[in-house]
Amino acid sequence: MNRPARAARAPIVWDIVTSSVLLAVGVVIAGALTVFAFFLVFASDSCGSGGTVCDTGRMGAGFLVALLGPAIVTLAAIVVAIVLMVLRRVSFWIPIAGIVLTVLVWLAGAGLVVSGVPGATF
């Protein structure tokens, strides 16, 4: 018994264009957040002065999360979106979710950095 060949899906042009533009926006946002992560080092300015003892381990972990997290999330979003586009599935929501998750990961890292400084607020 031969099965009839499945008809190939047509490419979804609007989705490919939208996904590509949103992926580019996501890369720019991830790059900006990576640059902003370097400014988190200034949170340690009060450490050691006036008897302030900071949790440098927590601050270091938060810095790494804020520095590397956006790039990792954006790379994952790019890979998943490309796979969905190749499979001709709707993929525009992947870059949107990636952008939101990128910002949340950066904020979590920044929160960790700030929480390592006694008396600091975010």
Side-chain angles (χ1 to χ4, degrees):
M1 289 180 60
N2 292 336
R3 293 183 182 182
R6 251 176 63 188
R9 292 182 179 188
I12 309 168
V13 177
W14 67 267
D15 182 60
I16 293 170
V17 171
T18 305
S19 297
S20 300
V21 169
L22 287 171
L23 286 172
V25 169
V27 168
V28 170
I29 290 172
L33 290 175
T34 300
V35 170
F36 293 153
F38 288 108
F39 291 102
L40 292 173
V41 174
F42 292 122
S44 67
D45 283 351
S46 65
C47 298
S49 64
T52 304
V53 178
C54 297
D55 186 352
T56 55
R58 180 184 297 177
M59 292 174 71
F63 177 71
L64 284 177
V65 168
L67 183 68
L68 301 176
I72 293 169
V73 171
T74 301
L75 183 61
I78 289 170
V79 169
V80 172
I82 289 173
V83 167
L84 287 178
M85 284 188 271
V86 167
L87 295 174
R88 296 181 178 171
R89 305 268 191 231
V90 175
S91 63
F92 76 91
W93 61 274
I94 296 291
I96 295 171
I99 290 169
V100 170
L101 191 57
T102 296
V103 172
L104 291 176
V105 165
W106 189 89
L107 287 173
L112 272 175
V113 170
V114 171
S115 72
V117 181
T121 59
F122 186 51

